[in-house]
Each structure stands twice: as structure tokens, then as C-alpha cells.
Amino acid sequence: MALMVAFLIGTAVLVLAPARVPAQSPVQTKESIDWLRFDYPPMYIVAGPHAGQGYMDKILELLIAKMPAYDHQVRVANLSRIMSELEQGNNVCIASLFVNEERQRLGHVSRGKTTLLPPVQLVFRAEDGERFTAFGNPASLDSILADESLMLGVSDRMSYGIEIDQTVAAHQHQPNVFLRNGSDVGLGLHEMLMKGRIDYTINYSWAANFTAGPEQAGLLDFLPFIEAGPYPSHHVICTKNPWGKRVLETVDALLADDDLTRQRKEFIEAWLPESERPAFRETFDRRFGLGR
């Protein structure tokens, strides 16, 4: 009998005793990156039948796929909002921007370049061609800006390259310089050009033709200008804090990879007219050290 009681008590203790749960390691939370895009076809295409097919859309997808250690969100913002987010210290990155003093002040800049593009040109209505070719080929933007009968329209907070930015800034208080602050970079200025509200703007010829579409592309003409310089490059810019510095260490390692660089070249080249592709390939390969 005593043995039976002892057995029953022992069984009860085993049943009532709490089960021992194996210790679990704490959940590791991924750091997050908010990538900011702006509406500037065919760099970023945020709407329409080609949405997401811009060359920077594709390059950004490539970078994200190679950075699994981070959670990634992609948002659309205009350039003023992008600069504001950097200034506020929010953890954001922009995958392709010209580098200027403001952007160096607000963000860490990648050592590597994300893109290399043919120079921008002056864009104007073809019917006004003689008014612009009178300034030579290539023209001087500074000389054209001195002619207050010709109205320039550019996107506010947009950098077109250091020398262009400096030239526009030197004339920006004149009545013939219009700084547009809108949700897009190209479309609004194109519409102003077609309506005669401005006489010219600054853009890549192939980007301007894409924005114009097949119905209006033939109504545009283009003129190289001295201040545009040779093949400008763009960089990744992230918030100027320790987080941004860590992100760019990963980004720079990716930008140095030759296979990824070749893919970036293909994404850009797909949008260029056939006439510009040979010079682009030669310049890109030389500047990025491909084909060594």
C-alpha cells in the first residue's frame, strides 16, 4: 500500500511540475532603409505603362536584392521633400543624385558612382531653333541667360551639375529664370515649354523625348552647351549619421562589383538612342574600368 501511495504522489508531481522550455535567443530586428524616388522619367518612372521600368528603378531593384540584411521600403517624394528628409535626419537613401555642396552637407555620399550619362542639353521648341543656334554650338548657358527675352525653366532643388547650378544661381533673380517646385521633374516643365510659358529648359535629349511622347517629340530641338561638361556621374546619398555611413559601406562594395556594373550599364543603355550608344559604351567602360 505504501508503495502505491508513493507511486501516485510521484506521478502527480511529474504531471503538475511545469515543463522546462528551451531558452530562445532574442529576435534580431533588421535595420530598415527608406529609398526615396522622384518622378523623373526615364530615370524613375512612377506611373503609366512603363512604371517601374526606368533605369534607376532597375538599378535600385538590383541593390535591394543584394542587401538582404536590411528591410527596404521605396517611397516617392519630390526633390524638396527629399532634401527636407535628409535635413531632418530621417534614415533615408537616394540611389542616384548629382553631388553638390548642399547634398554633401546633408548626407553621406557613396565613393562609387551609380550612373554615368551623356551630358544634358538645352531643350526648346524646334520652331525657335534660330534663336538658340545664334549662340553657337556648343552654346554658352551664361550668355543665353544674359538675354532676358528668353525664359529658362528648371526644377527647384534639382542639381544639373556643379557648373550648371552655379551659372543658374548667378542669374536666378532675373525675371527670365523660373524655378519650378512640383511633384515631377520633367513633365511640368515640358508642358510649360509647349504652352510657351518658358522658352527652354535643361534635360537629357532622350529623357525629354520620352516625356514628350511620339506625338510631340518632333516638336523639340536640342543644343549642347559648354557648362554641361562631359558625361556627369551620380552617387548614392544617405542621411548623414552613423546609420547612413553603415549603409554606404555595403552599397560601395556592391558598386565596385564588375558584374553589377555591367548590369547597370545595360539598364541605362536600353533607354539611349542608337546614335548615342557607341560613345556611351566606350566612356562608361573606361570610367568604370570595365574590359581591363
Side-chain angles (χ1 to χ4, degrees):
M1 183 66 179
L3 288 173
M4 179 63 72
V5 171
F7 172 77
L8 292 173
I9 291 173
T11 303
V13 169
L14 289 172
V15 172
L16 295 175
R20 181 172 294 176
V21 179
Q24 294 182 346
S25 59
V27 176
Q28 297 295 319
T29 303
K30 289 183 178 182
E31 285 192 294
S32 179
I33 304 175
D34 274 22
W35 294 97
L36 302 183
R37 306 158 64 221
F38 50 99
D39 187 2
Y40 187 17
M43 175 186 283
Y44 295 110
I45 306 176
V46 304
H50 298 285
Q53 297 177 33
Y55 62 86
M56 272 314 306
D57 291 318
K58 296 294 186 182
I59 291 173
L60 180 54
E61 286 180 6
L62 188 64
L63 292 176
I64 288 173
K66 296 293 183 179
M67 299 174 69
Y70 291 90
D71 281 325
H72 301 269
Q73 289 79 40
V74 180
R75 296 191 280 120
V76 177
N78 66 17
L79 287 166
S80 292
R81 177 60 184 271
I82 287 172
M83 293 301 107
S84 176
E85 295 227 12
L86 287 172
E87 195 160 21
Q88 292 169 21
N90 298 334
N91 285 350
V92 298
C93 291
I94 307 91
S96 188
L97 284 177
F98 276 127
V99 178
N100 60 19
E101 289 184 5
E102 178 187 35
R103 294 168 184 181
Q104 287 179 313
R105 176 175 58 85
L106 297 178
H108 288 301
V109 179
S110 66
R111 294 190 305 275
K113 300 179 283 287
T114 48
T115 64
L116 184 77
L117 301 171
V120 293
Q121 299 189 49
L122 301 180
V123 185
F124 47 88
R125 295 178 298 275
E127 64 192 51
D128 292 335
E130 291 185 2
R131 300 178 69 188
F132 290 92
T133 56
F135 289 93
N137 185 357
S140 162
L141 177 61
D142 186 62
S143 297
I144 297 176
L145 282 167
D147 183 346
E148 295 191 2
S149 70
L150 294 170
M151 173 71 77
L152 170 68
V154 291
S155 186
D156 193 22
R157 306 299 288 272
M158 177 75 170
S159 176
Y160 296 90
I162 292 176
E163 190 170 353
I164 299 173
D165 294 347
Q166 292 173 342
T167 303
V168 172
H171 294 267
Q172 68 178 355
H173 299 298
Q174 296 174 190
N176 62 319
V177 177
F178 177 75
L179 303 179
R180 181 179 181 272
N181 185 7
S183 60
D184 63 88
V185 173
L187 180 59
L189 290 168
H190 170 75
E191 291 175 342
M192 292 181 69
L193 181 64
M194 290 296 96
K195 292 175 181 177
R197 294 174 57 192
I198 59 174
D199 295 302
Y200 65 113
T201 185
I202 297 170
N203 204 346
Y204 304 100
S205 59
W206 39 277
N209 280 330
F210 176 84
T211 300
E215 300 83 7
Q216 293 186 329
L219 302 178
L220 300 177
D221 206 350
F222 310 96
L223 183 65
F225 62 103
I226 296 165
E227 293 86 348
Y231 282 73
S233 58
H234 298 75
H235 295 254
V236 181
I237 296 179
C238 295
T239 306
K240 201 163 199 175
N241 59 20
W243 170 89
K245 191 172 183 179
R246 287 196 304 274
V247 171
L248 286 184
E249 288 174 356
T250 303
V251 167
D252 273 320
L254 295 174
L255 295 179
D257 183 278
D258 283 354
D259 288 338
L260 299 186
T261 300
R262 289 187 181 92
Q263 290 182 65
R264 301 204 312 274
K265 180 177 74 169
E266 291 171 4
F267 294 150
I268 298 168
E269 186 178 328
W271 285 100
L272 298 180
E274 288 288 346
S275 61
E276 295 190 34
R277 291 182 182 184
F280 166 76
R281 292 187 198 110
E282 189 278 328
T283 304
F284 191 100
D285 288 355
R286 176 167 41 82
R287 294 273 289 272
F288 282 89
L290 297 179
R292 294 187 295 266

